[in-house]
Amino acid sequence: MTRRIFKSICFAALGTFAASILLFMAVLYHYFSNIMRSQLAMQTQLAAWGVEREGVAYFEGLELADYRMTWIGTDGTVLYDSIQDSSGMENHIEREEIKQAFAEGVGESSRYSATLMERSLYRAQRLSDGTILRLSIAQHTLLSLLFGMLQPLCVIFAIVLALSFVLAYRLSKAVVEPLNSIDLDEPLGNAGYEEIKPLLQRLAAQQRKIRKQSEELQKRRGEFEAVTSGMSEGIILLNEKRIILGINPAAMRLFGTDDSCIGSYLQALSQSLQLQELLQKAGDGKHAEMTMELSGGMYQLDASPVFAKERVSGVVLLLLNVSERAKTEQMRREFTANVSHELKTPLHTISGCAELLANGMVQKEDVLKFSRQIYAQAQRMICLVEDIMKLSHLDEGAEDMSREWVNLLTLAKETAQELMPEAEAAQISIRVKGESVRVYGIRQMLASILHNLCDNAVKYNRIGGSVVLTVEKEGEGVRLLVTDTGIGIPPEHRDRIFERFYRIDKSHSKAIGGTGLGLSIVKHAAALHNATITLESSADAGTTIGVYFPKHVEKGIN
Ligand code: ADP
């Protein structure tokens, strides 16, 4: 800019100088040409008068200084010339001023020399005898004048050039320096020339506007952060180029990043092609969703386009934790598959036996055996269906079942009694010991806990072994312990035996009538009473499963 101002000033100064010199000279030249022309006319008139009076004698001893005088006859021949010998001169009849003088009495013309450096002015006047007297004078042309003044002009030009340089330098500095030193944070605090003030005022107004907008932005950002920081769902705001504009702490945790990712592309956080496709769809103005694994959990990603002036200006990405839902879904699928599988086996046996009986293909002595088989499998199916129903009842919270005070010792004794036939068959003794304590709960569920634990203690025991049911107060709660001297549970299975249909030895469990749902029912029923389960087991000494019922806070009695 400084250069441009500098150049402009220099060119303007020099241009003005050159133009004024030219104009000045042209005006002067025109002025002096007019004077010269009128003098020439006057001199011609005087000479004509002299020649009219004296004839040829007038030319004798004539001092003409700058003028040239020519006398031309009526046929155009030169009768006299003050410079040249007239006899050698060509006929002048065709000369412009001569022709005009013959026709009008007076003629005028001018002619340039070959070099254009000189111009001759002619004035011709017809005399009374029809001859023509012509006077001419040489005049320097404007060009020759300019050439003649070249030296002084160059000197003046150099001075003007130097002056305009200094002036231009100072001026451009005076214009640009205050502009360069403007303090944009405090524009009005700048001292400058008068003309800069409107600019400074506009800058100050702009500054105020920007400050207000940035405060507003900051406020909005703060609000967004306040709202989203406490959310367990992740939120990411992207612009149309997929650059992160905002991200809440939950989303940062999921992508293992911090707020330094703001301003960078989302691709820097995840290169998942699926995610890119999802954002592409949202970028095209459509809502899109997908599920993907993030930091060990399953998340549903919802991408919604944000419109501004009917154009997609960004995308809001919402990350919802659906791990629990996915897990439940998975469990439901597994459970359905397991149930179908568990039911299919006894049904096949029943159907096979029944078919053989119906076709009369069974020997009379085997009919009983086949009927027992059908009965046993049907019983197995009944047990299975009963357990499944119990579980689904528990899954729904067993809200329809009423709670009451139940004496756990009495219930334990009843259970022991129920299982006595099976225990005796396996020569296993069952003993119930402890205090008579009450638990506030669902009788049916408490009975289920006792039955399943005791049943397992008998089923997975050794011949001649024992089962002990202990009910005792512990702290403010009640502990139920079922101890057996059975086969024990290997450590690697201990975490899984409470899962539905999980059995350590499938064939053994099935052979002794297990459904694989007993401990699952225990787990759910215990949870319904806020009870915790403990397990101790060793391959030699057997297993002890404990259920601890804490104090019933709601009722305040135990
Ligand atoms: P099941 O109907 O097969 O007994 P459960 O859910 O009651 O199913 O038990 C799951 C598995 O845990 C059993 O199949 C068995 O392998 C093991 N188990 C349960 N209780 C005992 C125990 N007292 N001693 C040894 N193993 C046990």
Side-chain angles (χ1 to χ4, degrees), residues 478-515:
V478 180
R479 187 174 293 280
L480 163 74
L481 291 169
V482 180
T483 309
D484 65 59
T485 52
I487 55 174
I489 301 165
E492 65 273 22
H493 296 285
R494 285 178 199 166
D495 283 343
R496 300 205 57 191
I497 51 169
F498 292 93
E499 285 173 20
R500 292 170 192 201
F501 296 109
Y502 190 82
R503 284 169 284 208
I504 298 172
D505 182 347
K506 228 172 193 163
S507 51
H508 177 60
S509 168
K510 276 187 184 171
I512 54 179
T515 60

Side-chain angles (χ1 to χ4, degrees), residues 269-556:
L269 301 187
S270 165
Q271 269 141 30
S272 154
L273 273 177
Q274 238 188 319
L275 179 57
Q276 300 310 321
E277 276 169 25
L278 179 89
L279 294 175
Q280 182 63 51
K281 269 190 207 161
D284 293 341
K286 288 170 232 149
H287 173 89
E289 52 185 53
M290 63 174 257
T291 354
M292 79 181 272
E293 206 185 313
L294 280 172
S295 68
M298 280 312 283
Y299 279 80
Q300 184 181 319
L301 273 66
D302 273 31
S304 310
V306 178
F307 291 94
K309 292 179 189 157
E310 292 175 14
R311 212 171 57 83
V312 178
S313 64
V315 173
V316 177
L317 191 64
L318 191 66
L319 301 111
L320 303 161
N321 189 342
V322 288
S323 308
E324 209 51 50
R325 206 168 77 192
K327 210 169 131 191
T328 316
E329 193 61 23
Q330 173 73 11
M331 273 168 67
R332 195 191 56 76
R333 274 201 299 273
E334 275 175 20
F335 184 70
T336 315
N338 277 328
V339 167
S340 327
H341 180 77
E342 292 294 330
L343 286 174
K344 217 167 74 185
T345 322
L347 267 174
H348 271 308
T349 316
I350 291 170
S351 150
C353 291
E355 194 182 0
L356 288 174
L357 283 169
N359 291 341
M361 290 171 78
V362 180
Q363 301 287 317
K364 252 189 187 152
E365 57 271 27
D366 291 332
V367 169
L368 195 63
K369 199 177 104 192
F370 274 78
S371 309
R372 280 197 184 125
Q373 183 80 342
I374 289 172
Y375 176 74
Q377 293 304 326
Q379 281 304 310
R380 184 171 154 66
M381 275 178 66
I382 290 168
C383 286
L384 198 67
V385 170
E386 272 174 1
D387 277 358
I388 290 168
M389 281 168 70
K390 252 185 226 164
L391 260 180
S392 70
H393 200 182
L394 281 164
D395 281 343
E396 278 156 27
E399 273 161 14
D400 56 330
M401 295 173 117
S402 57
R403 290 178 185 244
E404 59 187 294
W405 285 106
V406 181
N407 190 316
L408 219 52
L409 189 71
T410 315
L411 201 62
K413 282 178 183 162
E414 283 168 17
T415 311
Q417 208 56 49
E418 266 172 43
L419 290 166
M420 206 53 91
E422 284 94 329
E424 273 170 3
Q427 295 160 32
I428 294 163
S429 68
I430 306 181
R431 194 155 62 91
V432 180
K433 63 170 187 162
E435 304 163 65
S436 170
V437 280
R438 294 194 305 165
V439 165
Y440 190 77
I442 304 164
R443 177 178 287 276
Q444 217 177 316
M445 291 302 157
L446 294 170
S448 258
I449 293 174
L450 269 160
H451 183 89
N452 281 305
L453 291 179
C454 200
D455 185 39
N456 282 351
V458 173
K459 277 196 298 189
Y460 303 107
N461 217 317
R462 300 171 202 280
I463 294 177
S466 68
V467 174
V468 179
L469 298 175
T470 313
V471 179
E472 58 191 14
K473 269 192 175 173
E474 192 184 300
E476 294 200 305
V478 180
R479 187 174 293 280
L480 163 74
L481 291 169
V482 180
T483 309
D484 65 59
T485 52
I487 55 174
I489 301 165
E492 65 273 22
H493 296 285
R494 285 178 199 166
D495 283 343
R496 300 205 57 191
I497 51 169
F498 292 93
E499 285 173 20
R500 292 170 192 201
F501 296 109
Y502 190 82
R503 284 169 284 208
I504 298 172
D505 182 347
K506 228 172 193 163
S507 51
H508 177 60
S509 168
K510 276 187 184 171
I512 54 179
T515 60
L517 295 173
L519 288 183
S520 245
I521 293 170
V522 171
K523 186 174 106 179
H524 277 74
L528 218 60
H529 293 85
N530 294 325
T532 45
I533 298 172
T534 53
L535 186 135
E536 280 171 43
S537 184
S538 84
D540 309 320
T543 305
T544 298
I545 296 185
V547 183
Y548 179 73
F549 298 90
K551 177 187 174 185
H552 192 265
V553 181
E554 206 185 326
K555 293 282 170 183

